[in-house]
Amino acid sequence: MLARAASAPVLESRVREQRDAAVIDVGSNSVRLVLYRMEGRAIWTVYNEKVLAGLGRDLGATGRLSPGGVEQAMAALRRFRAVLDASGTQDVFTAATAAVRDAADGEAFVGRVAAETGLKLRVLSGQEEARYAALGVLAGSPDGDGVVGDLGGASLELVRLGADGPVAGATLALGPFALNGFKGDRLRAEVRARLEPHVARFSTRTFQAVGGAWRNLALMHMRLADYPLQIVHQYEISGADALATARFISRQSKASLETIEGVSKKRLETLPHAAMVLETLIESLGLERIVISAYGLREGLLFEAMPAAVRALDPLIEGCAALTARQGVDEALGPTLEAWLAPVFDALPPVMGEREPVMRAAACRLADLGSRLHPDHRAHLVFEQVLRAPIAGLRHAERAFLAVAAFARHSSASSVPEGATISRLLTDAQRRRARALGAAIRLGSDLSGRSSALLTRSRLGLHDGRLVLTALDGWSDMLLGEQTTRRATTVAGLLGLPLEVRRI
């Protein structure tokens, strides 16, 4: 979707400028403040606070904002103003969506917010809301495809992802607040009727699901499926499984749903409605694959504000580089390791598909992640951090692959933590390749004393079915030592190759 730019060390250093940003998102159900630290293409959430004010709760019946919701929202926004003043954040983005956009008193609400807090709310059109949701998906997954669906309290935004980004979308009044008077089969029929005019335009195999309702449905599916990795971003559900789960949830009472752990209690009232909408979407649009995105409108606003050169970078590689930028001693070590390992790993049949070079680049940039941790616990701590790191552009199997590689970078143990989780997410071949990659990163890091300059004095390659480690003329002494031989032997063993250490 978005091409990855070259990853030269100079470019990496130049584009990873740090700045703080904030987004205030006034939705139909929630009012939220999120503080971010931007490090080039990497987006880190520093602080996240929301209030379920329910601004759009009465919209379907009265055409106006909920009076109680307005007061809750105003209290939240006054507090958010105080937080922003204290934080000193200069880049502040605001967005108000369907409830404020459609309510008869929406303009008066915007005026009151400005008068009492000094915040100027930007009221998004339906097209803008759909577009920013799609940009958020691309911020978190550059190769995202299909149709994005952002379900809020009052509306559902649909937008197709084209070759050059989001294509013009549509806003449908399918949120729970827009259908307050409908129940049971009548609600299901109304959802289908409102979706019908858009079916031909948005039929797709892949559905990128944005919004808290979809995330809570995913958490329920994880619980019901006994899924081991409780991370909703990039969680994938087949159309058949999602349909079965949606049908189950849409027919449950609030009391029944309360017995399922891990789901927001405040979302329970609207969850059956969200499940019914998803059920109709799957049946009408022919969805075969549901991908949950933790990124949405807010991240879309930030993504649009990035320079084009930064947007084009891979978020996984940049996130891993940013994660370790202040941990190690040499920022160029990661990209240098990537180039050093390429002659070997480019020659091997891929086990992670076309994403394997990206996985290798990301793993290399994590080489120094454990540098400031206790050596006796480093491998386990790094494994845990990588497996659950809030980094974008990372599918669940890829999380497991990087975690195993990070563990093997610090330990030669054959068994990894959370073995059952890893076995469920990776094949035997993928686990072995991840261990070989981690061991090779360990070899390069230790061989060079974690110095990119010294690493370039050596070569690792494949010759006549052998793994060959060499040093340039005048640098053969760097190959001496028991540890170097031991590290190289481990890599060769994991790759199933004989080892040769020689001088060019």
Side-chain angles (χ1 to χ4, degrees):
M1 186 67 65
L2 295 175
R4 177 165 77 92
S7 56
V10 173
L11 176 62
E12 292 196 355
S13 178
R14 179 166 53 84
V15 301
R16 202 174 302 116
E17 296 178 359
Q18 296 182 23
R19 65 186 180 91
D20 294 326
V23 179
I24 291 180
D25 178 6
V26 180
S28 302
N29 192 24
S30 64
V31 179
R32 188 186 297 259
L33 166 68
V34 186
L35 303 181
Y36 297 94
R37 167 59 59 88
M38 312 291 293
E39 294 182 314
R41 182 64 170 81
I43 302 174
W44 307 104
T45 298
V46 176
Y47 180 73
N48 189 330
E49 181 176 346
K50 71 175 178 180
V51 175
L52 292 177
L55 271 176
R57 182 171 286 110
D58 301 334
L59 195 61
T62 69
R64 300 177 66 83
L65 299 175
S66 163
V70 167
E71 297 309 317
Q72 280 190 277
M74 289 305 307
L77 291 169
R78 286 195 296 269
R79 169 175 158 70
F80 294 168
R81 174 78 271 177
V83 173
L84 288 173
D85 288 344
S87 71
T89 302
Q90 296 298 312
D91 294 332
V92 179
F93 300 82
T94 66
T97 54
V100 177
R101 177 174 67 239
D102 297 337
D105 55 346
E107 187 175 346
F109 173 77
V110 172
R112 181 179 172 186
V113 170
E116 295 186 18
T117 70
L119 294 168
K120 296 181 180 180
L121 292 183
R122 176 186 174 188
V123 181
L124 301 181
S125 68
Q127 288 284 345
E128 288 174 325
E129 188 174 353
R131 178 173 173 274
Y132 281 121
L135 286 176
V137 168
L138 294 177
S141 179
D143 59 351
D145 61 347
V147 168
V148 175
D150 184 358
L151 181 63
S155 64
L156 170 69
E157 277 66 46
L158 294 176
V159 58
R160 184 175 292 280
L161 294 173
D164 298 319
V167 178
T171 297
L172 289 68
L174 290 179
F177 297 154
L179 292 165
N180 255 342
F182 297 89
K183 302 293 181 185
D185 290 340
R186 186 165 170 252
L187 173 58
R188 186 173 279 102
E190 185 64 21
V191 171
R192 189 174 298 278
R194 296 188 185 191
L195 180 62
E196 181 60 33
H198 306 275
V199 166
R201 182 179 174 190
F202 292 110
S203 293
T204 183
R205 175 180 174 271
T206 301
F207 185 71
Q208 306 280 348
V210 175
W214 302 138
R215 292 194 295 272
N216 276 273
L217 284 174
L219 286 170
M220 282 206 168
H221 183 268
M222 289 178 178
R223 295 289 183 180
L224 294 170
D226 195 27
Y227 187 74
L229 189 59
Q230 300 293 297
I231 295 175
V232 295
H233 186 57
Q234 295 299 102
Y235 182 62
E236 297 188 17
I237 316 174
S238 70
D241 280 356
L243 182 60
T245 302
R247 285 174 173 169
F248 169 77
I249 293 173
S250 69
R251 290 160 175 79
Q252 299 300 305
S253 67
K254 180 181 178 182
S256 297
L257 294 175
E258 285 177 341
T259 64
I260 301 177
E261 295 181 1
V263 179
S264 169
K265 304 304 181 188
K266 292 184 177 181
R267 293 275 186 186
L268 291 179
E269 290 183 3
T270 58
L271 208 55
H273 176 98
M276 191 175 294
V277 172
L278 181 60
E279 178 184 342
T280 307
L281 287 169
I282 293 170
E283 294 173 337
S284 299
L285 302 184
L287 308 182
E288 299 177 12
R289 174 172 168 256
I290 316 299
V291 183
I292 308 298
S293 176
Y295 281 36
L297 182 150
R298 293 180 294 275
E299 289 74 23
L301 289 166
L302 300 176
F303 188 59
E304 182 186 58
M306 293 177 183
V310 176
R311 286 199 303 270
L313 298 173
D314 187 282
L316 172 57
I317 297 174
E318 294 305 301
C320 290
L323 196 64
T324 58
R326 290 178 299 278
Q327 298 292 323
V329 295
D330 184 351
E331 187 177 352
L333 179 60
T336 306
L337 278 166
E338 180 188 359
W340 189 75
L341 296 176
V344 173
F345 286 88
D346 279 347
L348 301 174
V351 296
M352 297 296 288
E354 62 182 14
R355 292 270 294 170
E356 188 143 336
V358 177
M359 292 294 98
R360 186 166 69 244
C364 288
R365 283 155 181 80
L366 293 171
D368 262 354
L369 182 59
S371 62
R372 299 185 183 182
L373 300 175
H374 193 288
D376 291 348
H377 308 288
R378 186 177 289 155
H380 287 78
L381 292 172
V382 167
F383 172 92
E384 174 67 24
Q385 185 172 359
V386 172
L387 187 64
R388 293 176 172 84
I391 298 176
L394 194 55
R395 301 184 181 99
H396 282 209
E398 294 170 350
R399 285 182 174 277
F401 184 89
L402 284 183
V404 173
F407 180 83
R409 184 264 178 264
H410 295 289
S411 172
S412 59
S414 58
S415 60
V416 299
E418 300 192 41
T421 297
I422 298 303
S423 296
R424 186 162 174 176
L425 295 173
L426 297 178
T427 66
D428 288 344
Q430 289 170 334
R431 290 196 299 273
R432 190 171 184 86
R433 179 64 57 80
R435 289 180 58 207
L437 176 58
I441 292 171
R442 192 183 195 188
L443 167 63
S445 298
D446 289 357
L447 177 68
S448 64
R450 292 160 50 209
S451 164
S452 59
L454 183 55
L455 186 61
T456 61
R457 309 301 183 188
S458 66
R459 299 287 185 271
L460 188 68
L462 297 177
H463 299 284
D464 299 325
R466 305 172 72 83
L467 181 70
V468 179
L469 176 64
T470 61
L472 301 184
D473 283 340
W475 293 91
S476 59
D477 285 355
M478 70 181 293
L479 302 182
L480 299 175
E482 179 184 345
Q483 176 169 283
T484 297
T485 302
R486 187 168 66 249
R487 298 281 189 262
T489 300
T490 298
V491 178
L494 288 168
L495 293 175
L497 299 170
L499 172 68
E500 180 181 348
V501 179
R502 72 182 186 207
R503 176 177 176 275
I504 292 179

